[in-house]
Amino acid sequence: MFKRFISPVFCLSALGALFFSVSSHAGKEDFTQKIEIASSNQSGDGIAKKSRFWGSVIIRQGSLVVEADEVEVDASLGKDKEIFIAIGSPAQYSQQQQDGSTVSATANRIEYRRETRALSLDGNAEIQQNNSSVKGESILFNMQLEQIIAQG
């Protein structure tokens, strides 16, 4: 059974939950909407500014959806420097862009560093946009420049 979890600890880290914004063209209205997380289990440490969600985690914010077995949020570096790590078999990310197309990614581990707007996909990584697909053991996606570097 899923429980909705929104707490002061998560709200603090939720400022960074623009987790997975793909580019300046991705659904901008998504980021003005409420962030919802459903998971079987959750824990948070307000002093360390870290949260952990596990057990069929689903994050939604507008058309942005992340599905993972576990998600860790580290807000200890301060505002706009949050780090999100989604782990799964595989973890999945998708978001509808303003033009109606969808960007999606899968990997065993997806890490987003808000400060650099970089999405790191590790382990059986794949990113798809329109009719393009890139696969590799490791993919780094710079969201601002829309550049992809794949290895393996």
Side-chain angles (χ1 to χ4, degrees):
M1 176 170 12
F2 290 117
K3 297 185 247 176
R4 290 193 188 264
F5 177 72
I6 298 178
S7 74
V9 171
F10 184 69
C11 289
L12 176 65
S13 61
L15 292 174
L18 302 179
F19 176 44
F20 318 104
S21 85
V22 169
S23 72
S24 60
H25 302 292
K28 290 180 184 178
E29 65 280 353
D30 288 346
F31 304 116
T32 64
Q33 296 185 25
K34 181 177 170 183
I35 298 165
E36 296 180 353
I37 293 187
S39 68
S40 299
N41 306 286
Q42 56 273 328
S43 66
D45 184 335
I47 294 172
K49 297 182 182 172
K50 294 183 180 184
S51 300
R52 181 173 172 250
F53 305 87
W54 69 98
S56 301
V57 183
I58 300 173
I59 301 172
R60 292 185 189 277
Q61 186 180 27
S63 71
L64 184 153
V65 178
V66 175
E67 296 181 46
D69 298 330
E70 179 179 340
V71 173
E72 295 179 19
V73 181
D74 183 347
S76 64
L77 298 175
K79 185 179 177 189
D80 299 329
K81 295 181 182 180
E82 296 87 358
I83 300 169
F84 296 81
I85 300 170
I87 299 168
S89 303
Q92 302 175 29
Y93 153 77
S94 66
Q95 185 175 19
Q96 187 174 20
Q97 295 189 348
Q98 286 183 328
D99 67 2
S101 66
T102 300
V103 173
S104 61
T106 58
N108 295 340
R109 183 178 188 275
I110 299 174
E111 178 178 310
Y112 173 70
R113 293 184 172 263
R114 186 170 181 213
E115 182 176 31
T116 59
R117 293 208 179 258
L119 190 67
S120 297
L121 310 171
D122 294 302
N124 299 312
E126 181 175 5
I127 190 166
Q128 298 176 336
Q129 186 174 12
N130 298 321
N131 293 325
S132 299
S133 176
V134 175
K135 293 181 182 182
E137 189 56 32
S138 176
I139 298 173
L140 179 62
F141 180 44
N142 182 314
M143 297 177 190
Q144 286 182 314
L145 302 175
E146 295 188 33
Q147 295 176 335
I148 295 174
I149 299 170
Q151 296 179 1

